[in-house]
Amino acid sequence: MKIDMNLLPMKGHYFLFNAGTAPVVPFIPTLAKELGFSSFIVGIVYTFLPIMGMIAKPSMGALADRFHCQKIIFLLFIVLVMVFFIFIPFIPPLPSDSKANIHCNLDSVVQICSESLSDNCYLKKITDFGSENSTIKCTMSCKAEEKFIESVCTKWNQSQFCGSPHRLPVNQLLAIAKKQAGVIADVPGDNKKPVTLAPQTLSFNAYLSPKHTVQIGKCIYIRLQNVEFQSNVMVIPYCDSLQEANCEMSCDNAVISEISLNPKLKDSEIFNLYQFWMFAIFLVLSWVGQAVIVSIGDTICFELLGDNPSKYGNQRLWGSVGWGLFSVIAGLIVDKFSDGQKKNYFPAFVLMLIMLFLDLVVSSRIKYKQLRTSSSILRDMGKLLSEVKIVIFLIWCICVGMCTAMLWNFLFWYLEDLATAHGCETKAWIKTLEGLAMGIQCFGGELPFFFLSGWILKKIGHINAMTLVLFVLGVRFLLYSVLTNPWWCLPIELLNGLTFGLFYAAMTSYASIVALPGTESTTQGLVGAVFEGIGVSLGSFIGGLLINHYSGSKTFLIFGIGALTCALVHFFVQYFLSRRVTVLNIHERVTTPLLKAGSKNANTEG
């Protein structure tokens, strides 16, 4: 087998770039959650990401074509992605606290209410903790009113709170009011009875009995076994009648800490915090950088391939290898360096920095120089967009982009809902399931189909491949809609080879074929912008609305029927258009034989 040495740096770029982004990109939403951002805030940020990519791809592509600086922009944005990504783990978390209520009665309990308690598996995790007599230690700071303080004094035998400076007899309180404000008043009854001027803060250690936990709605009630004001002096907390106190607490149990953590600010107030703007700016700039790298990188690859664009899949498959391999490595590293309660993502970002630096070094060795020029990029792009086939092609990109948004943004969400409904045992393994799904998508789907894409496109043609992609997306979504056990998604993930591997090869190679000389970067940028900026954004918006109003199953059913309908329409439209001769047909008749000729020599380069 003959190895083309000019293409080795390109293979290295695809492998190293995807190996560098894989440790970071999948973890950004969970990192944002640990920083304290709600799913609503993260959703807003992720809505703008494809739109920014849509603006950046064609604009940077046009700039590269105009000034013949594709490689310079390509290398510059690799550096920018490294810089903006490495800042993200240094963003401070949002202000937050852990809130709970003490209900003191003959049997005292700690009440914790949280939206996350809609997942009943939390109750099982708590009650399964330890043995029958095991306790969970929490440090509590409670604001208590007069009657609660009185119970602490008399029932809990804490004499230090009996003579509290916050408690004064009524006659002394009236004397202070007369002296400071000139208020003269008389209160009938016992003027020597003490009253509380303001809530008093009590600090103590609380020992909770997890085996005695019940859940009512979105609140859990855990028995308060003992409290400790002084070292090794345990007190049984009880009151003659129900008394309540609002508390902040910190527990040595990860599950209770997770469900009791609440942000101090509402979502509408987050936009005033510098943490939000740091997160949004760094993420947007790094996303824009990735978009430009992918777009211009594909352009350079097709220019290097010359008359053999069918070999694109042989280069791009190394990206799937890098992504699949290093997403698994990154997960292991994050778990290894985490304390079990809060994940430490910094090692993943260090891995990203190393791999992208290696990518920069390897990519700088790509021997590439742009030779073809366009006298007027705008005129040539206008001529291209006037072709009906190109308009249909762009609409196809939007349709596939909408379906891809469901896979990127809502598939794991749907699987977690299925796991919750299927049982807590399944929910406990959901991250392993998601990791296996990603592995099958890359190694069982994308890898072989990127390798075979040139042969498939030669056999059935780009147009039929586009119809096939929509059809398989429809079948894939219909299969998702009938799932009851999330583990059955694993064989379905093999279809990712057709719905992404074949799709991406067909999209980029078709864009390369129809691009007029000197507009290669602009055309690739435009196609990528339409797919991601319009298709993925629109799919994310519609998918989010449907899931919010219906369910994941019904949403995948609707998208599946829609994809099959689009496949049928695409087939008939292309059939009637195939009889129409245009300037683009002539251009394709010149370039397509070159594509097929390159396929015959595919086994001369690996």
Side-chain angles (χ1 to χ4, degrees), residues 247-324:
C247 307
E248 293 183 8
M249 72 176 188
S250 174
C251 299
D252 59 8
N253 180 273
V255 178
I256 293 179
S257 296
E258 182 179 346
I259 61 178
S260 63
L261 189 65
N262 293 290
K264 287 185 176 181
L265 301 175
K266 299 178 181 178
D267 283 343
S268 58
E269 300 172 320
I270 298 296
F271 302 105
N272 298 323
L273 298 179
Y274 74 93
Q275 291 99 321
F276 167 77
W277 291 107
M278 287 178 67
F279 176 74
I281 291 172
F282 293 152
L283 186 56
V284 165
L285 292 177
S286 58
W287 188 280
V288 166
Q290 293 177 87
V292 174
I293 292 168
V294 169
S295 177
I296 296 183
D298 285 340
T299 302
I300 293 175
C301 182
F302 280 108
E303 289 295 305
L304 292 174
L305 290 171
D307 296 339
N308 299 303
S310 61
K311 294 181 181 179
Y312 170 76
N314 290 15
Q315 322 311 314
R316 181 58 179 80
L317 65 86
W318 291 101
S320 296
V321 175
W323 180 275

Side-chain angles (χ1 to χ4, degrees), residues 466-518:
M466 294 176 193
T467 304
L468 177 62
V469 167
L470 284 171
F471 176 77
V472 177
L473 277 168
V475 172
R476 185 176 179 180
F477 287 167
L478 291 181
L479 291 175
Y480 284 141
S481 70
V482 298
L483 285 179
T484 55
N485 186 334
W487 286 97
W488 282 105
C489 79
L490 295 181
I492 301 176
E493 301 313 308
L494 291 171
L495 295 176
N496 196 59
L498 287 165
T499 59
F500 185 79
L502 181 61
F503 149 70
Y504 197 80
M507 180 182 72
T508 52
S509 60
Y510 191 76
S512 177
I513 291 171
V514 302
L516 297 176

